[in-house]
Amino acid sequence: MNLTDFYFLCAFAVILVIYYLVPGKCQWGVILVSSIAYYLLSGHPVLILYPVMSVVICYASTRFITENEEPKKKKAALIITIILLLAVLITLKYLRFINVSELLIPLGLSYYTFTLIGYVTDVYNGITEPQGNMLKLLAFGMYFPALVSGPIMQYREISKTFYDRHEFDLKELTYGFQRMLWGFFKKLVIADRLNDVVSVMFADPNTFSGRNVFWAILLFTIQLYSDFSGLMDIVLGISQCLGITLPENFKLPFWAPTVSEYWRRWHVTLGAWFREYVFYPMLRTKAFAGLQTTLKNRLGKKSGKQLSTFAAMFVLWLTVGLWHGGKLTYVLGSGLLHWLFIVLEESFKDPFARLWNRMKVDPDSTWLKCVRVVRTFLLVNLGNAFFRSASVPAAFKMLKSGFRNLGSETIMPWLVRNLLEGMSERGIRAVSDSTILSLNYIDLGIMTFGILVMLVISIIKAKTGTDVRDRIARHNIAFRYALWMAFLFFVILTANYGPEYSSAEFIYQGF
């Protein structure tokens, strides 16, 4: 069952009613039952044993850690727990990439595993108190909206709002529905249409040479963002309806001036998890401490520290790439290429600072910031070319074909010319009958309009730093209800939706 399914929305309406009718101390029980039901309806029922056993292991481990006074035994319990959880994750995740049946893959495997590892580690470090009720921990570990694609939750941050009594709040419920609607707009109006276009263009890039190749890559980047951030809007909207605050997973990533900043804005919870539980602990190990000392002695304090950090970052980004899957395209497209970009940024930071100083250029000037944002966006697109391609050779072949026939006709004039030719032959019916890139011109127009709306909202948020919902809420009730109802009907009318419709699977659901 997908979060965009018609029947899921019907079920969620029932869950909301029950959630606010039961006593506050029982609301977490509604979440637990809903999560179990969602899991059973979303795949093979036997697979529920994986998250349940993971929670049982973490519950037993944290009990042992808190009740035992010997540091060595505590550490051993932590290490054994992490090994057990990662063993299941790695085994099942990589079996999938050697064509073993999808039924072997539990829903949300990566997300609940990382969430539980973070929980056990925080208990070991004394950052959070262990949950004494195993069923409550199961409700947290199997929280149904976050099972599909995160965000990766930290128990210490959400445990209070997760288990507290939640009174019915019309404003929070309204804001939650509004955010869900925005997510549906991104997914069903934009991403699903882009999926059809991008699939055609990546299937045979030789058909689209020159600048059209770069259009394909750009459209995939927009698809990936609208698909994944749209899902997060739905997840956070559902949680807000339930009175639960989850961490934001996107913070205007395409406005980032550097690749490192981009990753602090894109899939925020994944980056935070890797930094806290992989990168910083790795830097504190004897191996990297020794490497840093050796490099400092040979190259100087600054260079030695920087190079040892780059080495640790290499391991980190290799791990990030592997997390996305066992394909080399993922390892490069979402891992090592980004490591290379960040290394180059850090290496040339001081030389460029000196250059701007000599040229008497303000490094914080608006035009230079715009250049940095565009540069970062282009580098991200380069990584996505590998991420989306069937193989690394296919990605190189596609990029190579992009630099051929750069002066050839681009997609937009081509679309307009085909439209005009079709209209001259069949009249206005050509607008709905003609199919270009697997979509008719009406769908292409809706998709383009949707992208422009998403861009405008992004610009408003970047400039003002405020939630658009808050800005709309300042207007009188007639205006805001008319606006939201118009938006709702626009999504209903332009999204292929209903009981028999099945949305394209969320891209990050596979990770």
Side-chain angles (χ1 to χ4, degrees):
M1 182 182 290
N2 206 322
L3 293 183
T4 57
D5 287 351
F6 176 79
Y7 296 114
F8 171 80
L9 293 181
C10 295
F12 180 59
V14 175
I15 291 170
L16 270 180
V17 172
I18 298 173
Y19 186 77
Y20 285 110
L21 286 179
V22 301
K25 62 181 180 180
C26 300
Q27 287 176 327
W28 67 267
V30 176
I31 293 176
L32 175 60
V33 173
S34 302
S35 299
I36 292 173
Y38 180 81
Y39 210 98
L40 292 174
L41 293 171
S42 299
H44 201 289
V46 176
L47 294 181
I48 198 173
L49 293 175
Y50 285 106
V52 170
M53 289 306 300
S54 296
V55 169
V56 170
I57 289 170
C58 292
Y59 176 78
S61 175
T62 52
R63 288 288 299 271
F64 181 84
I65 289 171
T66 53
E67 294 174 2
N68 202 294
E69 298 296 329
E70 298 183 36
K72 288 185 177 180
K73 290 185 177 180
K74 288 185 175 184
K75 189 173 184 179
L78 173 67
I79 293 172
I80 291 172
T81 302
I82 293 175
I83 289 174
L84 288 174
L85 294 177
L86 288 180
V88 175
L89 171 65
I90 293 170
T91 301
L92 295 181
K93 198 175 183 75
Y94 285 91
L95 280 177
R96 184 183 63 180
F97 288 95
I98 55 174
N99 297 321
V100 176
S101 173
E102 288 288 340
L103 291 179
L104 292 172
I105 311 299
L107 179 67
L109 175 63
S110 295
Y111 299 98
Y112 73 70
T113 299
F114 277 19
T115 294
L116 292 173
I117 287 176
Y119 163 70
V120 175
T121 304
D122 285 350
V123 171
Y124 171 80
N125 290 325
I127 298 174
T128 188
E129 291 295 321
Q131 173 54 250
N133 186 325
M134 189 169 68
L135 291 179
K136 284 188 174 183
L137 184 60
L138 185 62
F140 168 76
M142 289 186 61
Y143 181 51
F144 68 95
L147 271 177
V148 179
S149 297
I152 299 170
M153 302 180 294
Q154 289 189 312
Y155 182 83
R156 64 177 187 258
E157 291 182 351
I158 73 165
S159 58
K160 182 173 177 57
T161 60
F162 195 86
Y163 299 113
D164 277 359
R165 175 185 178 85
H166 300 109
E167 300 289 347
F168 179 82
D169 188 323
L170 182 60
K171 179 182 177 181
E172 289 297 299
L173 190 69
T174 302
Y175 269 42
F177 282 135
Q178 289 170 356
R179 183 137 194 195
M180 287 175 66
L181 181 59
W182 180 238
F184 274 81
F185 169 74
K186 286 181 179 178
K187 170 61 177 172
L188 300 178
V189 177
I190 303 174
D192 280 1
R193 284 185 170 89
L194 279 170
N195 178 62
D196 295 334
V197 175
V198 169
S199 297
V200 170
M201 299 183 78
F202 270 84
D204 187 11
N206 291 327
T207 306
F208 306 93
S209 61
R211 286 173 286 175
N212 294 323
V213 169
F214 301 115
W215 272 105
I217 298 170
L218 170 65
L219 291 176
F220 171 68
T221 297
I222 298 173
Q223 179 204 352
L224 185 64
Y225 171 75
S226 55
D227 185 280
F228 194 14
S229 68
L231 170 59
M232 289 301 102
D233 288 324
I234 295 171
V235 170
L236 270 65
I238 290 172
S239 299
Q240 191 167 9
C241 290
L242 297 172
I244 297 171
T245 302
L246 293 187
E248 292 288 342
N249 224 11
F250 289 89
K251 298 179 179 179
L252 301 173
F254 297 140
W255 298 97
T258 63
V259 175
S260 56
E261 177 68 18
Y262 167 82
W263 277 97
R264 286 191 287 271
R265 298 172 177 231
W266 174 280
H267 208 340
V268 176
T269 57
L270 178 70
W273 192 93
F274 271 106
R275 285 193 300 273
E276 184 167 352
Y277 300 111
V278 177
F279 184 64
Y280 295 135
M282 183 167 53
L283 285 177
R284 292 192 293 267
T285 61
K286 291 182 179 180
F288 275 95
L291 176 64
Q292 187 175 112
T293 302
T294 302
L295 292 174
K296 282 182 178 179
N297 292 335
R298 293 184 179 182
L299 304 173
K301 184 177 181 180
K302 184 177 180 179
S303 297
K305 182 178 180 180
Q306 189 178 57
L307 286 176
S308 62
T309 302
F310 289 164
M313 286 170 55
F314 179 87
V315 178
L316 171 69
W317 284 105
L318 176 63
T319 308
V320 171
L322 289 171
W323 175 84
H324 283 84
K327 296 170 64 176
L328 188 56
T329 52
Y330 295 151
V331 174
L332 288 176
S334 59
L336 296 184
L337 274 178
H338 291 270
W339 168 80
L340 177 62
F341 299 152
I342 294 172
V343 167
L344 292 174
E345 285 176 350
E346 292 298 319
S347 300
F348 285 99
K349 183 186 293 183
D350 290 342
F352 270 108
R354 291 192 294 268
L355 176 64
W356 303 139
N357 186 47
R358 289 176 185 174
M359 296 176 64
K360 301 186 184 302
V361 173
D362 181 8
D364 296 322
S365 61
T366 302
W367 73 269
L368 199 53
K369 287 181 179 178
C370 291
V371 170
R372 293 191 185 110
V373 168
V374 172
R375 175 203 60 190
T376 301
F377 182 70
L378 292 176
L379 291 175
V380 168
N381 275 268
L382 178 58
N384 285 340
F386 286 87
F387 186 88
R388 178 60 176 80
S389 295
S391 65
V392 172
F396 278 114
K397 185 177 180 181
M398 185 174 186
L399 291 171
K400 183 180 177 181
S401 67
F403 288 99
R404 291 199 305 263
N405 302 320
L406 283 173
S408 61
E409 186 179 28
T410 57
I411 286 178
M412 293 310 296
W414 178 64
L415 290 174
V416 173
R417 177 169 54 80
N418 277 271
L419 173 61
L420 293 176
E421 290 177 356
M423 289 180 65
S424 65
E425 295 175 2
R426 299 191 300 276
I428 196 66
R429 286 183 55 195
V431 176
S432 59
D433 293 344
S434 298
T435 301
I436 303 293
L437 298 175
S438 79
L439 295 178
N440 62 43
Y441 282 97
I442 292 178
D443 282 325
L444 286 170
I446 292 170
M447 182 186 75
T448 304
F449 175 74
I451 293 172
L452 290 175
V453 170
M454 189 168 62
L455 176 62
V456 169
I457 297 298
S458 177
I459 292 172
I460 293 173
K461 190 172 183 180
K463 284 191 172 183
T464 64
T466 58
D467 192 323
V468 175
R469 291 176 298 177
D470 290 330
R471 295 173 66 87
I472 296 174
R474 295 170 192 163
H475 293 81
N476 63 71
I477 189 170
F479 172 81
R480 62 176 185 263
Y481 271 92
L483 181 63
W484 282 114
M485 290 304 293
F487 187 50
L488 171 62
F489 281 107
F490 176 79
V491 174
I492 292 174
L493 292 173
T494 58
N496 294 323
Y497 201 66
E500 302 303 322
Y501 175 71
S502 179
S503 171
E505 184 180 272
F506 290 101
I507 296 174
Y508 264 72
Q509 185 172 330
F511 301 137

